[in-house]
Amino acid sequence: MQKRKIITIALLSASAGCGASSSRSAAPAPQPGRLPVPEVAAAPPTSTTTPIAGVELVGLPAAAPPYVAPIPAADAAQPRERLELRNELYQAGNHDRAIGEARFRALCDEHGYPLVGNVSGKSMRYDVSAYCTDVRTEILAKNGA
């Protein structure tokens, strides 16, 4: 036992500078280390455990894909009546005359996009694209969008 005390004192004095200095410095602060975390196993359910409420996850309905305007078919593939109606729209001449007549609505699809192409020309007349744009604007105004 005596021998153990002497070794302990010798080790302590060696760590403090072998006793050479009479001033004592503060011992360095211990550095925090990682403590081992014991594994925790899930407790098996007991027969006394009853669920309070059941929750069913319900997904949101899928959003409808955006509408893609049809590309008007060539004049050769169009019905004769639609081409005649297009010519009548050109003869109507302006927005006020054309928009008031419901029969021109057949030139546009249900979303207000043209089903028949414009006749190329250099005149600045009211054409199918302009008419269907006005129809589409009315559809959006009615739907509140």
Side-chain angles (χ1 to χ4, degrees):
M1 180 87 159
Q2 194 70 355
K3 193 175 188 179
R4 190 174 193 184
K5 285 183 184 179
I6 295 172
I7 293 174
T8 304
I9 293 172
L11 289 174
L12 288 175
S13 61
S15 66
C18 297
S21 171
S22 62
S23 67
R24 296 190 131 184
S25 61
Q31 297 295 323
R34 298 186 129 219
L35 297 175
V37 177
E39 289 187 35
V40 178
T46 61
S47 61
T48 59
T49 305
T50 56
I52 295 174
V55 177
E56 182 178 339
L57 298 177
V58 179
L60 296 174
Y67 180 76
V68 177
I71 297 172
D75 284 355
Q78 294 288 343
R80 184 180 52 83
E81 295 83 15
R82 193 175 290 158
L83 295 176
E84 289 174 1
L85 190 61
R86 177 182 64 187
N87 291 337
E88 290 176 25
L89 174 71
Y90 288 147
Q91 291 170 1
N94 65 24
H95 171 269
D96 295 333
R97 283 193 221 156
I99 207 70
E101 294 193 41
R103 64 191 175 109
F104 292 126
R105 181 66 176 83
L107 294 171
C108 310
D109 70 359
E110 67 273 5
H111 298 283
Y113 289 95
L115 294 173
V116 63
N118 294 323
V119 174
S120 62
K122 294 186 180 189
S123 68
M124 297 298 290
R125 61 185 170 190
Y126 189 64
D127 59 11
V128 176
S129 294
Y131 173 78
C132 290
T133 299
D134 292 339
V135 168
R136 191 168 48 251
T137 304
E138 287 181 10
I139 290 172
L140 292 174
K142 285 180 185 177
N143 293 336

